[in-house]
């Protein structure tokens, strides 16, 4: 997908979903894109990447 308004809109949509907690892998599956393709779009949209491993799990005591 080349530059343009559609790409910018997709990048913003992905960023919103990613920042809402969706994983890059889930977004890649949802859009039919590669992991790297989604990662690049998120970077272009200015997303702040989480560290690997997802949300920390709380231990039940």
């Amino acid at each position: 997908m080349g530059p343009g308004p559609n790409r910018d809109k997709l990048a913003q949509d992905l960023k919103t979903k990613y920042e809402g907690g969706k994983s890059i892998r889930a977004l890649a599956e949802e859009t039919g894109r590669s992991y790297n393709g989604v990662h690049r779009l998120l970077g272009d949209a200015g997303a702040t990447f989480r560290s690997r491993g997802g949300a920390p799990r709380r231990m039940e005591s």
Side-chain angles (χ1 to χ4, degrees), residues 9-59:
K9 180 178 183 334
L10 175 63
Q12 286 303 318
D13 289 348
L14 289 173
K15 180 183 178 212
T16 300
K17 290 177 180 178
Y18 178 74
E19 291 180 345
K22 279 211 167 181
S23 69
I24 295 176
R25 195 159 305 286
L27 292 171
E29 285 179 19
E30 193 177 291
T31 59
R33 294 178 173 280
S34 69
Y35 180 96
N36 287 335
V38 170
H39 191 276
R40 190 174 312 115
L41 283 166
L42 287 170
D44 290 351
T48 302
F49 292 107
R50 298 188 289 270
S51 58
R52 290 185 51 136
R57 302 207 192 302
R58 274 195 261 161
M59 299 298 289

Side-chain angles (χ1 to χ4, degrees), residues 1-9 41 44:
M1 178 182 275
N6 289 344
R7 186 181 190 281
D8 292 346
K9 180 178 183 334
L41 283 166
D44 290 351

